[in-house]
Amino acid sequence: MEQSEKLRIRKNYTDLLRDLQVDYYVLDYLFQQGVLSMDDRERVLAQVTTRDKTRMFLDLLMKKDNKDAYTHFCFSLKEDHSFLLDLFGSTEITKEDIRNCGEVPAAEETEMLQEFQKELRHHYIDLYTQTDTVPWNEEIEVSLPKVFTDLEIVEKDTVKRQLMGPVTLGDLFTTVPVPGKTAPPKRVFIDGVPGMGKSTLCQKLSYDWAVGTPGSSVKNFDLVLFIEAQHILEDWDVLEAMYDQLFPRDFRFSLADLIWYLQRNHENVLVIVDGFTEGSSQLQEKVLEFLQGKYLRHASCVITSRPTKISAKYFDLRLRCKGFTLRSVKKFISQYFHDRSPAYYVGLIKQINSEILLLQLVQNPFNTFLLCLLWDDNQGQLPVSVTQLFRDIILCIIKCFCHSKRISMNDNDVPAECLKLLADTEQLAFDGIIQSKREFSKTELDRITQDENLYKIGFLAKAPPRSLLNASSYYSFVQRNFQEILAAMHTLKLTDEERTQYFKRFLDKQETRILCIFITGVFKDQPSNLRELFEILAEFCTSDNDTIVVSADSQKVRYSFNLTTKAYSLCFHCLNEVDNPDHYAGFIAQSMPEDLFLDLKILQNHYLCHPTTGSCYSVLENMPCPRSVMVLELSYFSESDSAKTAASVYKTLSHVAKHSSGQYELFVYCDGVNRYGFASIPYVLNILSKLNSQERNGFLQTRVKSINFLVQGCSVLRTMTDEEMHREMKVSDPARKSLPPIVIYTNVTPCPNLRKVPHKLCTMNEAECRDMRSEGEISAQILARNNPELNIEIRPAEIPCEFVMELH
């Protein structure tokens, strides 16, 4: 075949791939004429799709030296493809074209590379400098180079089936040679559950190449070709997808030019395929052919995927993308709000630090981004309830899924096809909670629905095989909290009797109590159902007998402090999920004991102590006056910002006083004195007095009968001089005039088990424990002697050893 004839086919290559069907007359005719051999015919027919058969046919035809090959080919087109003959006839072939069809001069090949580089760099910079991170809202754009934050990427040992040490993005192609190799890795596989940042990582690699980021592991490649598997048509291959996704329609070089160049110069080319499992099964086969070296054998590549089964033999390096560390979260938030002052977003960081649910959530970079989005959308705050926060995130995930599947969605109205998928996911989540399952087999998913979108919508991820022998597919929720909120949403479909039964069942186990919080949240606008749920919660609190008993004056006075951290904090969380907590707070308030143990540190967060809607205050406003209230001084006043923390404690105590009719005793556990002032009796008295003086008719004089300190001991006295002890035990002059009577209870119960505590006290014997008791009495006597204006009384008491051990 002459060069001009080959060039005529090359210039019409894409049209031939689209319109020519060779597996009937064309193929048989050329075999009959001796242009193609029997082996050639079988190779063409072995291809799966029509497009692949045509491509194989054209590649074989253009390699034939038969001078009549083109003539026979044109004759075969007359019967069914005459329009292609017209296309050949209208194709202009110049002498320059014929010259270039042969061996291209090095200068012109260099020009071709420069044009490819220029177009790719323009494409990546234009696309990722300002990118639509929220696909359903084009008005929200972020700058990739400004917000990108390093992800936690770890190497996978495919032999030992475990995760190894971290790998940085800058070392991806510049690391030491992999075992058994003499060069750094060329083919890299990165997997991770949805939202962990795999796509963003690919975008960052492409952008770094385009701008020549110093220290980037990809900056020395001649070309970086980044394609997304989910946007590749079913019958296309990797090379066609490159040309379609990366170059404009009016680009001066054709697909055939790109293929020609890559076939000759692929040693220093990087191919990135994002979302391997999101492409069609045919595309996955094409990618595997590429990995097997059937074309572009020496090119480097990065393949990203959700966790899936793929042979380790194709890759030099396998990595797992684990998302954000807490440090990365803080960096991402500050970069996301780079045009705002730190005061705007520091509240979000503090809230994440204080909420275990949020800490789990932000390990997923996509969720971190959604939290920033919600923070901005709500003018510097997150939704007031945890349930609403997760439901907003679920809605964002559904919007993203609809956009990727080109499903129309108006505002927040979930389309019918997604409602069915959501209901199926809720059913799966609920069944998993009941059966204590976090992973589900493909068979279990098929029992609920045959729709493969169930694990593509964004809540499920494919788990790695459990063993080398059992290679069955398993799926798990991308985060435990998603399974819990979706299971709670499923209870809307249960009968009243079933819902009551399961609500009580969830209360019985610590690990499922969070579902009670979510269930009250999803029923927030159904008063009749909520009333029943809070009646169950109140009954649960009264049946919880986990108490701390403190006896004083030889058993004449007994204080039984119920541990609200176990039961009542759950009730506070549940109240926070409803629209009108005041309507239901009475159920919880009436069940609270007369000796109230307030572990305020656990309750010190946005959701429970919000200035206007916090459920903690709603309960305190409705409870009868307690006989006594205990707070843990060591848990608060030793904070780095002790004054602010103390103010929060004081506010809560004042709230109890204002909304109760009688007086109560305030109990504080502390060491008595220490060298740094914090956690000492004088420090607590000074700061409470200062806060009380700022309030008209402060509660300390009007509602508090006495401030009682439970003193276990004071070992620091052994290292302090008399001068230091007298200085540290001095209460300020203003405080002395505004304080109620002070009672110091010193423990008379030695604690022989104290040595079991992992603390510096663990070396104490029983005699030393008795010394501690005496030292507690000594510190109380010093306080009384140094502050004669105060009404101070010293009493012996029996403080349970378990209580002391738990605090330490």
Side-chain angles (χ1 to χ4, degrees), residues 142-319:
V142 297
S143 173
L144 178 67
K146 289 182 179 179
V147 303
F148 182 83
T149 306
D150 288 337
L151 301 166
E152 185 180 11
I153 307 173
V154 294
E155 186 175 353
K156 295 170 64 177
D157 187 325
T158 54
V159 178
K160 296 182 179 179
R161 305 177 62 77
Q162 63 186 17
L163 299 178
M164 300 169 65
V167 176
T168 64
L169 198 59
D171 293 336
L172 206 56
F173 291 101
T174 57
T175 56
V176 296
V178 295
K181 305 279 185 175
T182 59
K186 290 182 69 70
R187 307 216 161 188
V188 179
F189 180 77
I190 305 175
D191 71 1
V193 299
M196 283 299 174
K198 301 183 298 296
S199 297
T200 307
L201 185 148
C202 295
Q203 294 169 5
K204 185 63 164 60
L205 287 174
S206 304
Y207 181 85
D208 284 347
W209 174 81
V211 299
T213 301
S216 170
S217 62
V218 299
K219 68 176 183 178
N220 294 323
F221 285 106
D222 289 339
L223 296 175
V224 172
L225 302 159
F226 169 39
I227 57 175
E228 299 175 85
Q230 64 173 333
H231 299 313
I232 300 176
L233 297 181
E234 197 166 284
D235 56 348
W236 283 9
D237 66 11
V238 174
L239 296 173
E240 290 174 292
M242 289 176 188
Y243 193 81
D244 175 72
Q245 293 188 21
L246 301 176
F247 298 100
R249 293 182 179 179
D250 59 352
F251 187 49
R252 62 175 286 197
F253 292 108
S254 65
L255 169 62
D257 293 326
L258 176 65
I259 294 173
W260 179 88
Y261 179 83
L262 292 177
Q263 287 174 339
R264 294 167 57 90
N265 303 278
H266 54 268
E267 291 83 359
N268 202 33
V269 169
L270 173 63
V271 177
I272 303 175
V273 181
D274 181 37
F276 172 75
T277 51
E278 297 172 46
S280 65
S281 56
Q282 290 91 332
L283 173 69
Q284 292 179 25
E285 292 178 6
K286 302 288 179 56
V287 173
L288 290 178
E289 288 180 359
F290 164 59
L291 294 173
Q292 291 166 359
K294 292 189 176 180
Y295 56 95
L296 307 188
R297 178 186 297 271
H298 302 293
S300 299
C301 72
V302 172
I303 309 293
T304 73
S305 168
R306 297 182 180 187
T308 187
K309 292 183 294 183
I310 185 169
S311 176
K313 68 181 181 182
Y314 297 131
F315 303 100
D316 304 319
L317 185 64
R318 289 169 63 92
L319 304 173

Side-chain angles (χ1 to χ4, degrees), residues 650 666 688-689 692 698-704 707 738-740:
Y650 179 88
L666 173 62
L688 286 177
S689 176
N692 189 69
F699 81 98
L700 285 180
Q701 298 99 328
T702 58
R703 294 298 175 84
V704 176
I707 301 179
S738 60
L739 292 172

